[in-house]
Amino acid sequence: QQPVQSPQAVILREGEDAVINCSSSKALYSVHWYRQKHGEAPVFLMILLKGGEQKGHDKISASFNEKKQQSSLYLTASQLSYSGTYFCGTAGMDSSYKLIFGSGTRLLVRP
Amino acid sequence: NAGVTQTPKFQVLKTGQSMTLQCAQDMNHEYMSWYRQDPGMGLRLIHYSVGAGITDQGEVPNGYNVSRSTTEDFPLRLLSAAPSQTSVYFCASSQGTIRSNTQYFGPGTRLTVL
């Protein structure tokens, strides 16, 4: 079942902060975050695993609430290069082999 | 390392034609997958493979076939192309199980079916 992302789109001024949320109705093993720029492939940002382990980008922070099956990606002091579409992907407890992505959050950072 | 490579980059087909999208990786990854991405939408899993000789269906497998004869290659076959298969197709690979490892994406194949 596809996770739900919010907001669908956000516009920031350079230096402002943003939070992107990802919510699932099923029990999760992990949440993955990717960023995609227009016309390019998605690029890995972070993995948050059940139990608290995190892997990934040291300039981006995120949280995973295992009880609520929710994750949030925190973009602080945004830069122009942060613009793009952010996707969360969720892996359920029932499968080691499927990563299901949300529909994405479009972020535009303006000077 | 070249990472994940895909060919062709662009393809136009007529309804009913068949074709194979190629995907290769040189990282010795066990896990490989195919996604499609429609305009303004997220990535939907078509098929995946956990190793040579082992494949399984994802969210939207109808109209597509896959096989995995080697660790490196994971081709996607469209049996009889339909306009609804117009999309951007991404291949990806991962070391170990996908749920706890980074997935590396290829550059994509943009397919138009007329």
Side-chain angles (χ1 to χ4, degrees):
Chain A
Q1 198 160 0
Q2 188 180 36
V4 176
Q5 288 186 234
S6 63
Q8 288 186 317
V10 60
I11 300 174
L12 297 176
R13 292 284 183 190
E14 200 172 5
E16 292 181 337
D17 303 337
V19 180
I20 300 173
N21 301 300
C22 177
S23 179
S24 176
S25 60
K26 59 188 291 186
L28 299 178
Y29 183 88
S30 61
V31 180
H32 303 224
W33 287 98
Y34 286 79
R35 178 171 59 211
Q36 184 180 33
K37 294 187 179 287
H38 183 69
E40 299 181 5
V43 174
F44 169 77
L45 294 176
M46 291 196 73
I47 299 174
L48 302 104
L49 295 105
K50 182 177 172 64
E53 184 181 357
Q54 295 188 4
K55 304 179 185 180
H57 208 293
D58 58 3
K59 292 188 177 180
I60 291 177
S61 64
S63 64
F64 178 22
N65 186 323
E66 296 174 34
K67 289 185 179 179
K68 293 186 176 181
Q69 312 306 325
Q70 294 174 350
S71 178
S72 295
L73 185 69
Y74 304 99
L75 303 170
T76 57
S78 59
Q79 305 171 16
L80 297 177
S81 62
Y82 287 9
S83 292
T85 302
Y86 290 76
F87 293 99
C88 72
T90 56
M93 294 295 291
D94 56 345
S95 172
S96 298
Y97 306 121
K98 291 183 182 180
L99 193 64
I100 306 301
F101 285 91
S103 56
T105 294
R106 291 188 301 278
L107 175 70
L108 176 62
V109 181
R110 291 179 170 166
Chain B
N1 285 353
V4 181
T5 57
Q6 292 183 237
T7 55
K9 290 187 178 180
F10 300 94
Q11 183 70 49
V12 179
L13 291 179
K14 293 182 180 178
T15 297
Q17 287 185 315
S18 62
M19 79 159 296
T20 299
L21 307 185
Q22 301 292 344
C23 174
Q25 52 92 8
D26 61 358
M27 298 174 281
N28 202 32
H29 284 171
E30 300 163 0
Y31 183 94
M32 296 186 73
S33 57
W34 277 101
Y35 293 89
R36 61 177 287 175
Q37 185 175 36
D38 300 315
M41 297 185 66
L43 299 146
R44 291 186 290 169
L45 181 65
I46 305 172
H47 285 285
Y48 64 93
S49 170
V50 299
I54 307 170
T55 63
D56 206 346
Q57 296 180 350
E59 301 172 271
V60 288
N62 292 342
Y64 308 96
N65 273 1
V66 293
S67 60
R68 183 115 176 254
S69 56
T70 68
T71 299
E72 295 78 19
D73 300 301
F74 190 42
L76 178 72
R77 282 183 290 277
L78 280 70
L79 307 174
S80 177
S84 60
Q85 293 180 304
T86 293
S87 190
V88 179
Y89 291 84
F90 289 101
C91 177
S93 73
S94 172
Q95 181 73 38
T97 59
I98 184 60
R99 68 179 188 176
S100 55
N101 289 286
T102 304
Q103 198 161 208
Y104 297 89
F105 284 84
T109 293
R110 188 174 297 273
L111 175 68
T112 300
V113 182
L114 303 175

Short mmCIF file of all heavy atoms in Angstrom, two decimals, chain A residues 43-80:
data_model
loop_
_atom_site.label_atom_id
_atom_site.label_comp_id
_atom_site.label_asym_id
_atom_site.label_seq_id
_atom_site.Cartn_x
_atom_site.Cartn_y
_atom_site.Cartn_z
N VAL A 43 18.05 9.99 -6.30
CA VAL A 43 19.31 9.85 -5.59
C VAL A 43 19.03 9.60 -4.12
O VAL A 43 18.21 10.29 -3.51
CB VAL A 43 20.18 11.11 -5.76
CG1 VAL A 43 21.44 11.03 -4.90
CG2 VAL A 43 20.56 11.31 -7.23
N PHE A 44 19.72 8.64 -3.55
CA PHE A 44 19.53 8.25 -2.17
C PHE A 44 19.89 9.37 -1.21
O PHE A 44 20.91 10.05 -1.36
CB PHE A 44 20.39 7.02 -1.88
CG PHE A 44 20.50 6.66 -0.44
CD1 PHE A 44 19.46 6.02 0.20
CD2 PHE A 44 21.64 6.96 0.29
CE1 PHE A 44 19.55 5.68 1.54
CE2 PHE A 44 21.75 6.63 1.63
CZ PHE A 44 20.70 5.97 2.26
N LEU A 45 19.05 9.54 -0.17
CA LEU A 45 19.33 10.49 0.91
C LEU A 45 19.54 9.78 2.23
O LEU A 45 20.57 9.94 2.89
CB LEU A 45 18.19 11.50 1.05
CG LEU A 45 17.96 12.46 -0.12
CD1 LEU A 45 16.73 13.32 0.15
CD2 LEU A 45 19.18 13.32 -0.37
N MET A 46 18.54 9.00 2.66
CA MET A 46 18.61 8.39 3.99
C MET A 46 17.76 7.13 4.04
O MET A 46 16.80 6.97 3.30
CB MET A 46 18.06 9.34 5.06
CG MET A 46 18.87 10.55 5.35
SD MET A 46 18.38 11.31 6.89
CE MET A 46 19.05 10.13 8.06
N ILE A 47 18.16 6.24 4.97
CA ILE A 47 17.32 5.11 5.39
C ILE A 47 17.15 5.22 6.89
O ILE A 47 18.13 5.45 7.62
CB ILE A 47 17.95 3.75 5.07
CG1 ILE A 47 18.17 3.57 3.58
CG2 ILE A 47 17.07 2.62 5.59
CD1 ILE A 47 18.92 2.29 3.24
N LEU A 48 15.91 5.04 7.34
CA LEU A 48 15.63 4.97 8.78
C LEU A 48 15.04 3.60 9.05
O LEU A 48 14.04 3.21 8.44
CB LEU A 48 14.66 6.06 9.21
CG LEU A 48 15.15 7.47 8.89
CD1 LEU A 48 14.44 8.05 7.69
CD2 LEU A 48 14.96 8.38 10.09
N LEU A 49 15.69 2.86 9.93
CA LEU A 49 15.26 1.49 10.20
C LEU A 49 14.58 1.37 11.54
O LEU A 49 14.84 2.14 12.48
CB LEU A 49 16.46 0.54 10.16
CG LEU A 49 17.12 0.41 8.79
CD1 LEU A 49 18.44 1.17 8.74
CD2 LEU A 49 17.35 -1.04 8.45
N LYS A 50 13.72 0.39 11.61
CA LYS A 50 13.09 0.03 12.88
C LYS A 50 14.19 -0.24 13.90
O LYS A 50 15.18 -0.90 13.60
CB LYS A 50 12.26 -1.23 12.66
CG LYS A 50 11.49 -1.72 13.85
CD LYS A 50 10.66 -2.92 13.44
CE LYS A 50 10.02 -3.57 14.66
NZ LYS A 50 9.07 -2.67 15.33
N GLY A 51 14.02 0.32 15.06
CA GLY A 51 15.03 0.15 16.09
C GLY A 51 15.96 1.34 16.24
O GLY A 51 16.75 1.39 17.17
N GLY A 52 15.85 2.30 15.31
CA GLY A 52 16.57 3.56 15.48
C GLY A 52 17.78 3.77 14.60
O GLY A 52 18.35 4.86 14.56
N GLU A 53 18.25 2.73 13.90
CA GLU A 53 19.44 2.92 13.06
C GLU A 53 19.10 3.81 11.87
O GLU A 53 18.03 3.73 11.30
CB GLU A 53 19.95 1.57 12.57
CG GLU A 53 21.24 1.66 11.76
CD GLU A 53 21.72 0.31 11.26
OE1 GLU A 53 21.08 -0.71 11.59
OE2 GLU A 53 22.72 0.28 10.53
N GLN A 54 20.08 4.65 11.51
CA GLN A 54 19.94 5.50 10.34
C GLN A 54 21.18 5.37 9.47
O GLN A 54 22.28 5.19 9.96
CB GLN A 54 19.78 6.97 10.75
CG GLN A 54 18.52 7.28 11.52
CD GLN A 54 18.32 8.76 11.74
OE1 GLN A 54 19.09 9.59 11.25
NE2 GLN A 54 17.27 9.12 12.46
N LYS A 55 20.97 5.48 8.17
CA LYS A 55 22.09 5.48 7.24
C LYS A 55 21.86 6.62 6.26
O LYS A 55 20.75 6.79 5.78
CB LYS A 55 22.15 4.18 6.43
CG LYS A 55 22.21 2.90 7.21
CD LYS A 55 22.24 1.71 6.25
CE LYS A 55 22.18 0.40 6.98
NZ LYS A 55 22.23 -0.76 6.04
N GLY A 56 22.94 7.35 5.96
CA GLY A 56 22.79 8.28 4.85
C GLY A 56 23.46 9.61 5.03
O GLY A 56 24.45 9.77 5.71
N HIS A 57 22.89 10.60 4.36
CA HIS A 57 23.40 11.94 4.18
C HIS A 57 23.61 12.65 5.51
O HIS A 57 22.68 12.76 6.30
CB HIS A 57 22.37 12.72 3.35
CG HIS A 57 22.94 13.82 2.54
ND1 HIS A 57 23.50 14.93 3.11
CD2 HIS A 57 23.02 13.98 1.21
CE1 HIS A 57 23.90 15.72 2.15
NE2 HIS A 57 23.62 15.19 0.99
N ASP A 58 24.82 13.15 5.76
CA ASP A 58 25.09 13.75 7.07
C ASP A 58 24.60 15.19 7.16
O ASP A 58 24.66 15.79 8.23
CB ASP A 58 26.58 13.67 7.39
CG ASP A 58 27.43 14.36 6.33
OD1 ASP A 58 26.87 14.95 5.39
OD2 ASP A 58 28.67 14.29 6.44
N LYS A 59 24.09 15.79 6.07
CA LYS A 59 23.60 17.15 6.15
C LYS A 59 22.08 17.20 6.15
O LYS A 59 21.50 18.27 6.13
CB LYS A 59 24.16 17.97 4.97
CG LYS A 59 25.66 18.20 5.05
CD LYS A 59 26.13 19.16 3.99
CE LYS A 59 27.62 19.41 4.14
NZ LYS A 59 28.13 20.36 3.12
N ILE A 60 21.44 16.04 6.17
CA ILE A 60 19.99 15.99 6.19
C ILE A 60 19.57 15.14 7.38
O ILE A 60 20.18 14.12 7.66
CB ILE A 60 19.45 15.39 4.88
CG1 ILE A 60 19.70 16.37 3.73
CG2 ILE A 60 17.97 15.06 4.99
CD1 ILE A 60 19.27 15.86 2.39
N SER A 61 18.53 15.58 8.07
CA SER A 61 18.06 14.81 9.22
C SER A 61 16.64 14.35 8.99
O SER A 61 15.87 14.95 8.22
CB SER A 61 18.15 15.66 10.49
OG SER A 61 17.29 16.77 10.41
N ALA A 62 16.31 13.27 9.67
CA ALA A 62 14.99 12.69 9.52
C ALA A 62 14.65 11.93 10.78
O ALA A 62 15.53 11.59 11.58
CB ALA A 62 14.92 11.77 8.31
N SER A 63 13.36 11.65 10.94
CA SER A 63 12.89 10.88 12.09
C SER A 63 11.95 9.80 11.62
O SER A 63 11.37 9.88 10.53
CB SER A 63 12.19 11.81 13.08
OG SER A 63 11.01 12.36 12.50
N PHE A 64 11.80 8.76 12.46
CA PHE A 64 10.92 7.64 12.15
C PHE A 64 10.18 7.28 13.42
O PHE A 64 10.79 6.82 14.39
CB PHE A 64 11.74 6.46 11.64
CG PHE A 64 10.96 5.21 11.33
CD1 PHE A 64 9.59 5.23 11.07
CD2 PHE A 64 11.60 3.97 11.29
CE1 PHE A 64 8.89 4.08 10.78
CE2 PHE A 64 10.91 2.81 10.99
CZ PHE A 64 9.56 2.87 10.74
N ASN A 65 8.87 7.51 13.43
CA ASN A 65 8.03 7.14 14.57
C ASN A 65 7.44 5.77 14.28
O ASN A 65 6.51 5.62 13.49
CB ASN A 65 6.92 8.19 14.75
CG ASN A 65 6.10 7.95 16.00
OD1 ASN A 65 5.82 6.80 16.36
ND2 ASN A 65 5.71 9.02 16.66
N GLU A 66 8.02 4.75 14.90
CA GLU A 66 7.63 3.37 14.60
C GLU A 66 6.21 3.07 15.05
O GLU A 66 5.52 2.26 14.44
CB GLU A 66 8.60 2.41 15.29
CG GLU A 66 10.03 2.52 14.77
CD GLU A 66 10.98 1.65 15.57
OE1 GLU A 66 10.56 0.56 16.02
OE2 GLU A 66 12.14 2.06 15.74
N LYS A 67 5.77 3.70 16.12
CA LYS A 67 4.42 3.43 16.62
C LYS A 67 3.36 3.99 15.68
O LYS A 67 2.31 3.38 15.48
CB LYS A 67 4.25 4.04 18.01
CG LYS A 67 5.03 3.32 19.09
CD LYS A 67 4.74 3.90 20.47
CE LYS A 67 5.52 3.15 21.54
NZ LYS A 67 5.27 3.71 22.90
N LYS A 68 3.65 5.15 15.08
CA LYS A 68 2.66 5.79 14.19
C LYS A 68 2.92 5.46 12.73
O LYS A 68 2.15 5.88 11.87
CB LYS A 68 2.69 7.31 14.40
CG LYS A 68 2.21 7.77 15.76
CD LYS A 68 2.13 9.30 15.81
CE LYS A 68 1.55 9.75 17.15
NZ LYS A 68 1.45 11.24 17.22
N GLN A 69 4.01 4.77 12.41
CA GLN A 69 4.38 4.45 11.03
C GLN A 69 4.52 5.74 10.21
O GLN A 69 4.01 5.85 9.09
CB GLN A 69 3.36 3.51 10.38
CG GLN A 69 2.98 2.31 11.21
CD GLN A 69 4.19 1.51 11.68
OE1 GLN A 69 5.20 1.39 10.97
NE2 GLN A 69 4.09 0.94 12.88
N GLN A 70 5.19 6.70 10.81
CA GLN A 70 5.38 7.98 10.16
C GLN A 70 6.85 8.37 10.16
O GLN A 70 7.58 8.07 11.11
CB GLN A 70 4.58 9.07 10.88
CG GLN A 70 3.07 8.90 10.78
CD GLN A 70 2.32 9.92 11.63
OE1 GLN A 70 2.91 10.63 12.43
NE2 GLN A 70 1.02 9.99 11.42
N SER A 71 7.25 9.06 9.11
CA SER A 71 8.60 9.60 9.03
C SER A 71 8.55 11.04 8.56
O SER A 71 7.64 11.44 7.82
CB SER A 71 9.44 8.77 8.05
OG SER A 71 10.74 9.31 7.92
N SER A 72 9.51 11.82 9.01
CA SER A 72 9.61 13.21 8.59
C SER A 72 11.04 13.50 8.16
O SER A 72 12.00 13.03 8.79
CB SER A 72 9.22 14.16 9.71
OG SER A 72 7.85 14.02 10.04
N LEU A 73 11.16 14.26 7.09
CA LEU A 73 12.46 14.70 6.58
C LEU A 73 12.60 16.18 6.85
O LEU A 73 11.70 16.97 6.52
CB LEU A 73 12.55 14.43 5.07
CG LEU A 73 13.88 14.71 4.39
CD1 LEU A 73 14.94 13.71 4.84
CD2 LEU A 73 13.71 14.67 2.87
N TYR A 74 13.69 16.57 7.51
CA TYR A 74 13.89 17.95 7.92
C TYR A 74 14.97 18.58 7.05
O TYR A 74 16.11 18.13 7.03
CB TYR A 74 14.32 18.01 9.39
CG TYR A 74 13.35 17.32 10.31
CD1 TYR A 74 13.60 16.03 10.77
CD2 TYR A 74 12.18 17.96 10.73
CE1 TYR A 74 12.71 15.38 11.60
CE2 TYR A 74 11.28 17.32 11.57
CZ TYR A 74 11.56 16.03 12.00
OH TYR A 74 10.67 15.40 12.82
N LEU A 75 14.58 19.62 6.34
CA LEU A 75 15.52 20.36 5.49
C LEU A 75 15.73 21.73 6.13
O LEU A 75 14.82 22.57 6.13
CB LEU A 75 14.96 20.51 4.07
CG LEU A 75 14.63 19.18 3.37
CD1 LEU A 75 13.88 19.42 2.08
CD2 LEU A 75 15.90 18.39 3.11
N THR A 76 16.88 21.94 6.71
CA THR A 76 17.15 23.19 7.42
C THR A 76 18.12 24.06 6.63
O THR A 76 18.98 23.54 5.90
CB THR A 76 17.74 22.90 8.80
OG1 THR A 76 18.93 22.11 8.65
CG2 THR A 76 16.75 22.13 9.65
N ALA A 77 17.95 25.36 6.77
CA ALA A 77 18.79 26.34 6.07
C ALA A 77 18.90 25.97 4.59
O ALA A 77 19.99 25.75 4.07
CB ALA A 77 20.16 26.43 6.72
N SER A 78 17.75 25.88 3.94
CA SER A 78 17.70 25.33 2.58
C SER A 78 18.59 26.09 1.60
O SER A 78 18.78 27.30 1.71
CB SER A 78 16.27 25.31 2.08
OG SER A 78 15.73 26.62 2.08
N GLN A 79 19.12 25.34 0.67
CA GLN A 79 19.96 25.89 -0.39
C GLN A 79 19.26 25.69 -1.73
O GLN A 79 18.35 24.87 -1.84
CB GLN A 79 21.31 25.17 -0.41
CG GLN A 79 22.04 25.20 0.92
CD GLN A 79 23.26 24.31 0.92
OE1 GLN A 79 23.75 23.88 -0.13
NE2 GLN A 79 23.78 24.01 2.10
N LEU A 80 19.68 26.45 -2.72
CA LEU A 80 19.07 26.32 -4.05
C LEU A 80 19.16 24.88 -4.56
O LEU A 80 18.25 24.39 -5.24
CB LEU A 80 19.76 27.27 -5.03
CG LEU A 80 19.64 28.76 -4.73
CD1 LEU A 80 20.44 29.57 -5.75
CD2 LEU A 80 18.18 29.20 -4.70
#
